[in-house]
């Protein structure tokens, strides 16, 4: 995600802003910029590293300013798309973290009212809205502007001639760093730790007005006094937001990731965003190509599309796609790749393009190679994923697949409505899984003693068994295999016994009864049986040695809650075994060789 910073005090703002931006680099970014106000507003920004910006930027005079590291979500990394963004008059500057769902409609309206836009970003509508509503009071203009906005945001606003910063947040974190005769605003703590460890955490809906000696916070229109906290973390701890590893932080980000990824697509405010992809392509020949975890998302997609659109979907592992001779004419191809740089996936894309196919990329990285090769790109909004093991990007990929399948669904409208509602509730359901962390941790301690584990399931959760096994093996180094529960007796049964636990993923769908039979078969062979099951499932409680419960959701969404639980199980197992979780041996975040 983007990083934001604001400074107001007696010192020159520019070097402080640049130093704070350096402290935000760990979040990943593609461009950066600063704005400093004295009498007028001066902005310097580009698609470069902070170090380069510091080297080439002219000296900007002033003791109040804002800065930003951008991770592109709307519009490629470029100077014009970098923040801060200005209004028409060039007097109001905004930095933003989050996603504005209804920006296209707002942009059209504002353009019709005479506003001139220069970037492709969603953020730029905010500076223009503030300009539209400004009538001598910046805080009131920000409040009015945000009433028009649907989406998530943490923003800081700076205006020429106004010795103050205005900040606001919704679904994106924002803090105020408190010091003597100077104050800071930032997206997260590491940005400011070189200057102060006194922090006020802004809450949902807060609007803060910060001067060098004063902090005023309004919560839903009422003045409140922000509670000051003393941060005891080191900069490194703070970069992980206090979590011990990036993987754990990223697992915990998933409720937000679901909201942000779906926001742009299922928002009622932007129905026209549904009009992407494949209108003229032959849906009956759908092919999905990916590697690793992204391939598991593709496999889940096959079941989702099968159920909602009623068409078969062919899935291929990218590295094997080279050897597949059949690419039917008119194939509608989707590639899924978090990084957008995986060599096998890119090679498959090129082959598909050469065969005359229309290729859609689902990726997390704006401007990545995959997005440049694709005819059309659908972005996940997971934010940078730093841990090598993919977690939040998988969930975000599933969100896009649910949305796509719903867009083309051929099921009853009541089912579509109920699933759309179910999607909106998913962040809450995932939060419930995260709240069950302590129990999962206890089971991980138990699991960590074993060297071989099988994950089994059926139907839409079969790919979840594959993903659970992949997560466990890559970070804990326990040998783990994901299996279709029905396949176990065709060979792996020979390995079952007291030293080989089996983890059964059980959903309340048409696989349920057969899964119970498979569990009994496994128990009869002496394997310890751990089940992942819906809360209130008494039959499983009786059968399994250990049960991790997940909240009740429509079975089509069960891969989401189940995968999050298995991510936590893998994480705590690896932690118990003392493994280097974020950077497992022999693995790289993006595999750029075949
Ligand atoms: C596993 C993992 C990998 C990636 C795979 C594809 O946790 O991260 O299996 O999913 O290397 O990477 P992308 O999605 O970047 O193409």
């Amino acid at each position: 995600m983007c990083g934001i910073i604001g400074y107001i005090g007696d010192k020159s703002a520019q070097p402080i802003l640049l130093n704070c931006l350096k402290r935000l680099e760990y979040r990943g970014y593609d461009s950066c910029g600063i704005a400093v106000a004295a009498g007028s507003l001066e902005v310097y920004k580009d698609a470069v590293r902070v170090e380069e910006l510091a080297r080439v930027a002219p000296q900007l005079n002033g003791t109040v300013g804002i800065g930003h590291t951008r991770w592109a979500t709307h519009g490629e990394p470029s100077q014009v798309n970098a923040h801060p963004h200005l209004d028409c008059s060039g007097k109001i500057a905004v930095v933003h973290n989050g996603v504005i769902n209804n920006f296209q409609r707002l942009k059209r309206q504002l353009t019709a009212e005479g506003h001139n836009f220069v970037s492709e970003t969603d953020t730029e509508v905010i500076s223009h809205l503030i300009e539209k509503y400004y009538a001598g009071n910046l805080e009131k203009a920000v409040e009015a502007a945000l009433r028009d906005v649907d989406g998530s945001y943490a923003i800081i606003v700076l205006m020429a001639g106004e010795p103050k910063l205005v900040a606001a947040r919704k679904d994106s974190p924002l803090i105020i760093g408190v010091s003597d005769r100077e104050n800071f605003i930032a997206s997260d703590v590491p940005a400011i730790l070189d200057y102060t460890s006194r922090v006020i955490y802004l809450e949902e809906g807060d609007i803060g007005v910060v001067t060098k000696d004063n902090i005023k916070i309004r919560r839903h229109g009422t003045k409140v006094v922000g509670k000051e906290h003393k941060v005891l973390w080191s900069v490194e701890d703070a970069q992980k937001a206090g979590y011990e590893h990036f993987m754990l932080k990223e697992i915990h980000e998933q409720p937000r990731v679901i909201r942000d990824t779906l926001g742009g697509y299922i928002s009622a405010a932007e129905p026209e965003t549904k009009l992407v992809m494949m209108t003229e392509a032959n849906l009956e020949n759908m092919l999905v190509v990916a590697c690793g975890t992204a391939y598991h998302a593709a496999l889940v997609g096959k079941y989702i599309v099968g159920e909602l659109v009623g068409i078969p979907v062919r899935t291929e592992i990218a590295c094997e796609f080279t050897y597949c001779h059949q690419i039917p004419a008119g194939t509608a191809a989707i590639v899924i790749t978090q990084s957008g740089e995986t060599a096998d996936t890119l090679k498959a894309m090129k082959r598909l393009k050469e065969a005359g196919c229309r290729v859609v990329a689902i990726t997390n990285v704006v401007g990545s190679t995959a997005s440049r090769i694709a005819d059309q790109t659908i972005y996940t909004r997971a934010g940078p994923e730093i841990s090598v093991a993919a977690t939040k990007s998988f969930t975000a990929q599933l969100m896009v697949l649910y949305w796509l399948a719903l867009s083309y669904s051929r099921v009853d409208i009541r089912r579509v409505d109920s699933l759309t509602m179910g999607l909106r509730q998913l962040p809450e359901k995932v939060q419930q899984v995260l709240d069950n962390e302590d129990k999962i941790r206890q089971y991980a301690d138990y699991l960590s003693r074993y060297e071989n584990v099988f994950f089994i399931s059926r139907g839409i959760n079969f790919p979840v068994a594959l993903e659970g096994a992949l997560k466990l093996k890559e970070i804990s180094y326990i040998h783990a295999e994901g299996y279709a529960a029905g396949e176990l007796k065709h060979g792996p049964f020979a390995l079952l016994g007291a030293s080989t636990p089996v983890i059964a993923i059980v959903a309340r769908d048409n696989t349920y009864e057969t899964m119970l039979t498979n569990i009994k078969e496994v128990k009869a062979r002496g394997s310890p049986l751990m089940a992942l099951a819906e809360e209130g499932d008494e039959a499983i409680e009786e059968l399994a040695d250990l049960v991790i419960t997940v909240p009740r959701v429509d079975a089509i969404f069960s891969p989401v809650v189940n995968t999050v639980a298995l991510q936590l199980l893998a994480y705590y197992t690896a932690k118990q075994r003392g493994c280097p979780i974020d950077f497992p041996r022999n693995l790289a975040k993006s595999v750029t060789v075949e």
Side-chain angles (χ1 to χ4, degrees), residues 290-295 336-342 345 385 388-391 393 397 467 470-471 474 588-591:
C291 297
T293 292
Y295 176 68
I336 308 180
T337 165
Q338 183 282 132
S339 62
E341 302 297 345
T342 300
T345 308
E385 195 174 59
V388 164
T391 53
S393 60
Q397 288 158 0
E467 178 58 10
L470 176 61
K471 280 297 86 87
E474 70 179 323
K589 185 67 189 159
S590 115
V591 184

Side-chain angles (χ1 to χ4, degrees), residues 377-404:
T377 302
I378 304 174
Y379 290 109
T380 50
R381 308 227 190 274
E385 195 174 59
I386 294 171
S387 183
V388 164
T391 53
K392 60 178 181 171
S393 60
F394 175 80
T395 302
Q397 288 158 0
L398 292 191
M399 292 309 121
V400 170
L401 293 167
Y402 285 122
W403 163 71
L404 276 180

Side-chain angles (χ1 to χ4, degrees), residues 1 26-27 188 237-254 384 386 391-392 571 582:
M1 292 302 283
Y26 76 95
R27 294 163 70 100
D188 54 355
D237 287 344
Q239 289 179 341
K240 294 175 191 149
Y243 291 103
E244 195 173 338
H245 296 95
F246 283 110
M247 182 178 176
L248 191 59
K249 173 173 177 265
E250 287 159 5
I251 290 173
H252 276 264
E253 280 171 358
Q254 291 177 106
I386 294 171
T391 53
K392 60 178 181 171
Y571 172 81
D582 282 333

Side-chain angles (χ1 to χ4, degrees), residues 59 121 134 153 183-184 236 288 361 371 419 428 467 545 581:
Q59 192 175 329
T121 65
Y134 184 75
Y153 52 79
N183 288 309
F184 299 79
E236 203 201 322
V288 191
S371 73
L419 290 177
E428 221 176 278
E467 178 58 10
D545 299 305
I581 292 176

Side-chain angles (χ1 to χ4, degrees), residues 433-447:
V433 179
L434 299 172
D435 293 344
N436 196 21
E437 194 168 10
D438 284 343
K439 183 95 176 271
I440 296 176
R441 184 206 301 242
Q442 284 168 25
Y443 292 172
D445 290 352
Y446 163 83
L447 194 64

